[in-house]
Amino acid sequence: MNSVRASSRRPRRVSRPRPVEPERNNQERDEDVPADMVAEESGPGAQNSPYQLRRKSLLQKRTVCPAKANMEGASTSTTDNFGHRAKRPRVSGKCQDLSAPAEQYLQEKLPDEVVLKIFSYLLEQDLCRAACVCKRFSELANDPIIWKRLYMEVFEYTRPMMHPEAGKFFQINPEEYEQPNPWKESFQQLYKGAHVKPGFAEHFYSNPDRYKGRESMLYYDTIEDALGGVQEGHFDGLIFVHSGIYTDEWIYIESPITMVGAAPGKVADKVVIENTRDSTFVFMEGSEDAYVGYMTIRFNPDDKSAQHHNAHHCLEITVNCSPIIDHCIIRCTCTVGSAVCVSGQGAFPTIKHCNISDCENVGLYITDHAQGMYEDNEISNNALAGIWVKNHGNPIIRRNHIHHGRDVGVFTFDHGMGYFDSCNIHRNRIAGFEVKAYANPTVVCCEIHHGQTGGIYVHEKGRGQFIDNKIYANNFAGVWITSNSDPTIRGNAIYNGNQGGVYIFGDGRGLIEGNDIYGNALAGIQIRTNSCPIVRHNKIHDGQHGGIYVHEKGQGVIEENEVYSNTLAGVWVTTGSTPVLRRNRIHSGKQVGVYFYDNGHGVLEDNDIYNHMYSGVQIRTGSNPKIRRNKIWGGQNGGILVYNSGLGFIEDNEIFDNAMAGVWIKTDSNPTLRRNKIHDGRDGGICIFNGGRGLLEENDIFRNAQAGVLISTNSHPILRKNRIFDGFAAGIEITNHATATLEGNQIFNNRFGGLFLASGVNVTMKDNKIMNNQDAIEKAVSRGQCLYKISSYTSYPMHDFYRCHTCNTTDRNAICVNCIKKCHQGHDVEFIRHDRFFCDCGAGTLSNPCTLAGEPTHDTDTLYDSAPPIESNTLQHN
């Protein structure tokens, strides 16, 4: 493409500078010079004027400062030799050879205001010569006001444009500059440049006397002419393009030229280069180290959508060239192609401080192994992506502001790469950052927020590393991963999303590591439809929904995360999902810690699960997880709740200090509990009721406030080889038509006794050892004590209980045998059954006070069973 364009483009027109006439035309003086000064030089008394005397004296007695006729010593990148001469020996700070009184008067006595007025009529070369006369003239000739006027006359800038080295231009505030005269310093740095100033070249070359001393300056009418002058060696390649609109010039750059806009105020707004037929700028091989800056570059075809514009751009940067594009405004109204296209091996531009906005296509397109440095640009409101990276393009993109796009913010696809650092990407219509089709970008320290859909979207085998970014306030998920994609999401803050934090679905993978995920409206991490990510070392907290939600056959390895303070379950596993949750801390949730339901499976091992408002773990509706080696404590509604046909293998866990039972099994559930330690519960150890079953094998159940194992309401578990000991109530209690198989259990040192069976209960027992229990109930009965004395209203000792018809007790009241004998002696009483209760007579809830219990403890009612657990209402929020 480059060779075709190079051979087919039209030849350049070269505008050569006109020769300067040797004679001075007195009629063509500067209009600003006062008439009296003209008369002083040329009138009848001119030979006697002090100025004429000084000139004659200097010419006769010594050689004038050898300032050159042109500023050959000035360069575009240094201040050396700009009208300066070697220092002479000073004599008492005065100029030498002041023989003439007029010369002495001019140099020493003439007021500063007058000298400055005279100097204000000099051009820069004469001003430099005047500075060589003496110390006083040197100081006055460096006056910033004089140099500002000269500077603005040549360059138009209202602030000095500094050019300290090749490829570097910047404007400064003169009041804040450390040097006393930035105008002169900038003049020195820019002096050797040529100027494109339409209509001025003819005026300049036809008035040599008016611009005497500027013979070395070159002026051209068109940019093409100036580029031709570079090719023919007329100057070194520094071009100043002055205010104006330059239309349909063929700007093909094949050499390391420097082209800078020159205008007052906001320079780039005043210098506009536009093309309606071809790419506005084309950089070709040989243009390495070229520089274009401080101008507006537009491609504005008449037919916005014609396919023949497909290869046309505002800027086209091709193979083996590395120009610098700086402080430019770039606009493209064509609906195909892109505003900036960088393509080909060896293409490595530096594009910085540019505004690529309001384009009807892609803003910046990097493809075909191109690279480059893109820094501090404003990229906004483009019809397609703000940035496209494709086909092994690998740019470095830093501190860009990419926002309000009408499509995606950044789109990398088809093996595109790139390093994106500290960019602010927000309010784009689709995702802030999209990765597709084997693209593999690295995105670090960026802010990706307020996307109208998601933050980051990785799909169709996309990859990428997203590290230390802030991803927040996006309408959909902060990060989407789908369709066999495998990115690394590491060290990011993902928060306050209007939906979830990270959403992995459709066979997505990925490493989700070390992120802080919080405050999102839906789950912090959602895994579904056969996706299998690695999720580790994250903090997932304070969500308005759940922490981690695994459903629809989701998988994944979820390890060493901290999941806490979420509104719903810390972790949900449902609908055929099989994740592995290992070494996580799941705590302080407002509902359940880990919730398996609707055939949720998986492995839950070596986790700390604690301090939840509901149970630490719930299992229901066909779910069958493996739960092993976890520590589950501090649940306000128990440790583990298995209900509604839940299953599960619950092995080698430590379950303790829960407000209710360590393990609940109810409503036709049938889990297996092996080798668990269930202890120090504030209620019972294991409660099985409402048709619950289960195999309880080789567990240690000890130091619980209520029964070690309570079996009730038509339940039928198997207890085998368990040790149930040191309980503060009974070892095992079976009531309410429940049955059980008890084999090889050891039941010892429990306060109330070892095994208690309510009326009508039949159990199968074999090889159990019930020994050394404290038998506090039987001892209290034998001593004639009220059983309330040993139970208070917090325990439910199993013994015979009665009703008293004389005292009108109800079915909700129970009276122990000793109170019947003592307090209700002679009353009409009735034996009810042998079961769990506390004595209402001793509790003081009957009309007559108990004579055995001492001070009554007021209580509202007698409960015959432990309080049931609260089932999770998580499903109500799906």
Side-chain angles (χ1 to χ4, degrees):
M1 180 186 71
N2 299 337
S3 60
V4 173
R5 288 194 175 185
S7 61
S8 64
R9 71 176 190 269
R10 65 193 184 202
R12 300 188 186 278
R13 294 181 292 106
V14 180
S15 174
R16 299 177 181 273
R18 299 187 182 185
V20 180
E21 298 294 334
E23 273 78 34
R24 179 180 179 87
N25 186 349
N26 292 334
Q27 300 300 319
E28 295 177 351
R29 295 181 184 274
D30 191 341
E31 293 83 351
D32 295 334
V33 179
D36 57 345
M37 289 194 65
V38 176
E40 191 175 15
E41 285 193 35
S42 58
Q47 292 186 359
N48 296 324
S49 68
Y51 185 57
Q52 290 295 332
L53 288 173
R54 171 190 159 238
R55 291 178 63 191
K56 183 182 291 185
S57 172
L58 289 174
L59 289 171
Q60 292 173 351
K61 299 204 171 190
R62 61 182 173 85
T63 304
V64 195
C65 170
K68 298 181 180 179
N70 57 48
M71 295 194 177
E72 295 176 357
S75 74
T76 62
S77 61
T78 181
T79 61
D80 295 341
N81 302 321
F82 180 73
H84 290 288
R85 53 171 287 174
K87 292 185 177 180
R88 296 180 290 109
R90 297 183 179 179
V91 180
S92 302
K94 297 183 180 180
C95 298
Q96 300 179 16
D97 299 325
L98 301 181
S99 58
E103 184 174 341
Q104 183 178 5
Y105 173 80
L106 184 62
Q107 294 185 21
E108 294 184 353
K109 305 297 184 182
L110 195 65
D112 288 353
E113 292 81 0
V114 178
V115 177
L116 288 171
K117 183 66 176 178
I118 295 170
F119 284 177
S120 70
Y121 295 106
L122 304 181
L123 297 184
E124 56 278 358
Q125 293 286 356
D126 290 332
L127 203 56
C128 289
R129 292 188 182 96
C132 296
V133 173
C134 65
K135 181 177 180 180
R136 179 174 178 241
F137 275 23
S138 177
E139 292 174 354
L140 295 175
N142 280 291
D143 181 71
I145 297 176
I146 295 176
W147 280 97
K148 178 180 180 180
R149 180 187 63 80
L150 289 171
Y151 182 87
M152 292 181 65
E153 178 184 312
V154 175
F155 300 106
E156 298 190 57
Y157 300 122
T158 49
R159 291 190 300 148
M161 177 71 76
M162 309 310 292
H163 179 37
E165 60 188 51
K168 188 173 183 179
F169 290 83
F170 58 90
Q171 287 189 290
I172 62 163
N173 186 343
E175 288 77 18
E176 298 175 359
Y177 195 61
E178 63 273 10
Q179 299 299 326
N181 193 350
W183 302 100
K184 180 180 178 182
E185 184 176 347
S186 179
F187 209 128
Q188 294 171 337
Q189 295 172 356
L190 306 181
Y191 190 72
K192 291 184 71 174
H195 298 260
V196 177
K197 198 170 183 179
F200 186 76
E202 182 176 359
H203 168 74
F204 179 80
Y205 292 118
S206 61
N207 292 277
D209 290 341
R210 168 67 179 83
Y211 298 104
K212 187 176 182 181
R214 292 181 178 168
E215 293 88 349
S216 62
M217 288 188 179
L218 300 178
Y219 282 88
Y220 298 92
D221 287 323
T222 68
I223 298 171
E224 288 184 70
D225 291 343
L227 292 173
V230 175
Q231 288 182 346
E232 297 191 5
H234 294 170
F235 64 100
D236 289 343
L238 174 58
I239 302 172
F240 294 97
V241 182
H242 287 261
S243 303
I245 299 177
Y246 301 79
T247 303
D248 288 338
E249 298 203 43
W250 288 46
I251 305 176
Y252 284 74
I253 298 175
E254 302 171 273
S255 61
I257 61 96
T258 297
M259 188 182 301
V260 187
K266 293 183 178 179
V267 180
D269 291 339
K270 307 287 181 59
V271 181
V272 179
I273 301 176
E274 179 179 86
N275 205 308
T276 62
R277 301 188 301 270
D278 198 1
S279 292
T280 311
F281 274 78
V282 178
F283 292 87
M284 305 178 71
E285 191 165 359
S287 64
E288 60 274 3
D289 301 322
Y291 178 96
V292 172
Y294 293 89
M295 58 184 66
T296 294
I297 302 170
R298 291 200 302 236
F299 178 53
N300 187 23
D302 296 330
D303 184 352
K304 310 296 185 190
S305 60
Q307 288 301 312
H308 66 270
H309 291 304
N310 197 31
H312 297 161
H313 316 272
C314 296
L315 286 170
E316 187 175 337
I317 300 165
T318 60
V319 296
N320 296 325
C321 56
S322 52
I324 298 172
I325 314 299
D326 183 20
H327 282 94
C328 289
I329 299 171
I330 300 170
R331 301 284 185 268
C332 184
T333 61
C334 184
T335 57
V336 293
S338 62
V340 180
C341 179
V342 184
S343 64
Q345 193 79 41
F348 195 102
T350 297
I351 298 180
K352 57 185 180 179
H353 305 115
C354 291
N355 187 315
I356 307 172
S357 301
D358 303 312
C359 301
E360 296 304 319
N361 47 29
V362 175
L364 173 60
Y365 180 28
I366 303 155
T367 186
D368 297 341
H369 299 272
Q371 299 182 26
M373 189 82 67
Y374 307 83
E375 298 180 328
D376 302 297
N377 301 290
E378 185 88 7
I379 302 173
S380 65
N381 196 35
N382 296 293
L384 298 180
I387 298 176
W388 268 12
V389 183
K390 178 184 177 183
N391 195 20
H392 303 283
N394 193 12
I396 296 174
I397 297 179
R398 284 196 173 100
R399 299 182 302 277
N400 293 277
H401 189 193
I402 305 164
H403 61 100
H404 288 95
R406 288 169 271 168
D407 199 86
V408 67
V410 179
F411 185 24
T412 58
F413 61 108
D414 291 351
H415 299 278
M417 296 184 288
Y419 184 85
F420 297 79
D421 180 15
S422 302
C423 296
N424 188 359
I425 305 171
H426 65 96
R427 292 181 171 84
N428 296 285
R429 190 179 68 84
I430 306 181
F433 206 110
E434 183 174 351
V435 183
K436 176 182 177 183
Y438 300 101
N440 189 18
T442 299
V443 182
V444 300
C445 300
C446 294
E447 291 193 28
I448 303 171
H449 58 101
H450 290 95
Q452 295 182 33
T453 56
I456 296 169
Y457 181 29
V458 189
H459 62 117
E460 296 182 34
K461 299 183 180 180
R463 298 178 64 199
Q465 300 79 44
F466 297 86
I467 304 169
D468 295 330
N469 302 285
K470 292 183 179 179
I471 304 165
Y472 59 94
N474 295 287
N475 279 349
F476 293 170
V479 179
W480 286 12
I481 303 169
T482 185
S483 51
N484 297 294
S485 297
D486 191 16
T488 297
I489 312 295
R490 190 164 179 264
N492 303 281
I494 305 171
Y495 59 98
N496 293 350
N498 294 330
Q499 288 193 9
V502 180
Y503 183 23
I504 308 151
F505 65 103
D507 299 289
R509 295 171 59 83
L511 171 61
I512 317 299
E513 182 178 48
N515 302 285
D516 192 6
I517 304 172
Y518 62 93
N520 296 287
L522 296 181
I525 296 178
Q526 185 175 167
I527 304 169
R528 61 179 284 243
T529 51
N530 300 306
S531 296
C532 189
I534 296 172
V535 180
R536 64 183 184 185
H537 303 146
N538 301 283
K539 289 186 176 181
I540 305 165
H541 60 99
D542 293 292
Q544 301 172 41
H545 201 263
I548 300 174
Y549 183 24
V550 190
H551 62 121
E552 296 180 38
K553 298 183 180 179
Q555 302 175 49
V557 176
I558 302 169
E559 59 184 12
E560 298 184 4
N561 303 283
E562 187 170 8
V563 184
Y564 62 96
S565 298
N566 294 288
T567 301
L568 302 182
V571 179
W572 300 354
V573 182
T574 182
T575 50
S577 298
T578 56
V580 175
L581 291 97
R582 184 183 294 127
R583 297 188 299 278
N584 300 283
R585 288 186 175 179
I586 305 167
H587 65 95
S588 307
K590 298 171 186 176
Q591 282 197 8
V592 180
V594 182
Y595 185 24
F596 296 89
Y597 70 98
D598 292 351
N599 296 299
H601 309 303
V603 176
L604 183 69
E605 62 184 12
D606 299 311
N607 301 281
D608 285 336
I609 304 169
Y610 58 95
N611 292 348
H612 292 91
M613 294 297 293
Y614 291 6
S615 304
V617 177
Q618 287 192 13
I619 306 169
R620 54 163 285 192
T621 50
S623 296
N624 191 20
K626 294 179 176 62
I627 300 176
R628 55 193 179 216
R629 298 191 303 276
N630 302 282
K631 292 184 179 181
I632 304 170
W633 82 92
Q636 296 304 304
N637 195 39
I640 298 176
L641 168 60
V642 189
Y643 67 109
N644 290 1
S645 303
L647 300 167
F649 290 87
I650 303 170
E651 300 175 332
D652 300 302
N653 301 283
E654 186 177 0
I655 304 168
F656 62 97
D657 193 30
N658 294 285
M660 299 180 70
V663 178
W664 292 87
I665 303 171
K666 57 180 282 191
T667 51
D668 301 310
S669 296
N670 190 18
T672 298
L673 282 77
R674 286 195 181 98
R675 298 180 302 278
N676 301 284
K677 292 186 177 182
I678 304 169
H679 64 95
D680 288 290
R682 287 169 268 168
D683 198 275
I686 299 175
C687 292
I688 308 168
F689 61 105
N690 291 350
R693 291 177 293 162
L695 172 62
L696 282 62
E697 190 171 57
E698 298 181 355
N699 301 284
D700 274 356
I701 304 167
F702 58 95
R703 292 174 54 90
N704 295 287
Q706 300 293 336
V709 178
L710 171 63
I711 305 169
S712 180
T713 51
N714 301 305
S715 299
H716 190 119
I718 298 172
L719 280 72
R720 183 180 296 137
K721 298 181 181 180
N722 300 284
R723 295 194 302 177
I724 305 165
F725 59 97
D726 288 357
F728 296 103
I732 298 176
E733 294 181 331
I734 305 176
T735 183
N736 273 348
H737 308 291
T739 62
T741 299
L742 308 178
E743 296 179 354
N745 300 286
Q746 299 180 40
I747 308 168
F748 59 93
N749 200 34
N750 296 286
R751 182 178 176 228
F752 287 178
L755 174 64
F756 292 86
L757 305 176
S759 298
V761 169
N762 294 307
V763 299
T764 301
M765 298 180 62
K766 181 180 178 182
D767 299 330
N768 299 286
K769 292 183 180 180
I770 303 172
M771 55 192 174
N772 300 326
N773 293 284
Q774 300 176 29
D775 297 326
I777 294 176
E778 292 303 324
K779 290 177 181 178
V781 171
S782 65
R783 289 196 296 263
Q785 293 178 323
C786 174
L787 293 186
Y788 188 80
K789 195 74 173 177
I790 65 168
S791 71
S792 183
Y793 61 87
T794 58
S795 297
Y796 310 94
M798 185 175 288
H799 205 265
D800 296 340
F801 75 87
Y802 297 80
R803 289 180 58 193
C804 179
H805 296 289
T806 304
C807 296
N808 291 321
T809 56
T810 68
D811 291 340
R812 300 290 294 174
N813 299 128
I815 304 172
C816 71
V817 61
N818 285 336
C819 285
I820 288 293
K821 292 178 180 179
K822 182 70 173 178
C823 304
H824 300 267
Q825 184 178 9
H827 292 192
D828 182 11
V829 297
E830 177 187 4
F831 173 74
I832 302 300
R833 63 181 180 272
H834 189 80
D835 214 330
R836 303 175 71 241
F837 69 99
F838 67 76
C839 180
D840 282 283
C841 182
T845 60
L846 303 182
S847 57
N848 296 319
C850 179
T851 62
L852 298 178
E855 291 295 324
T857 301
H858 295 287
D859 185 54
T860 56
D861 207 347
T862 299
L863 301 178
Y864 299 144
D865 212 343
S866 293
I870 302 173
E871 298 171 7
S872 174
N873 62 353
T874 298
L875 289 177
Q876 299 174 11
H877 297 269
N878 287 349

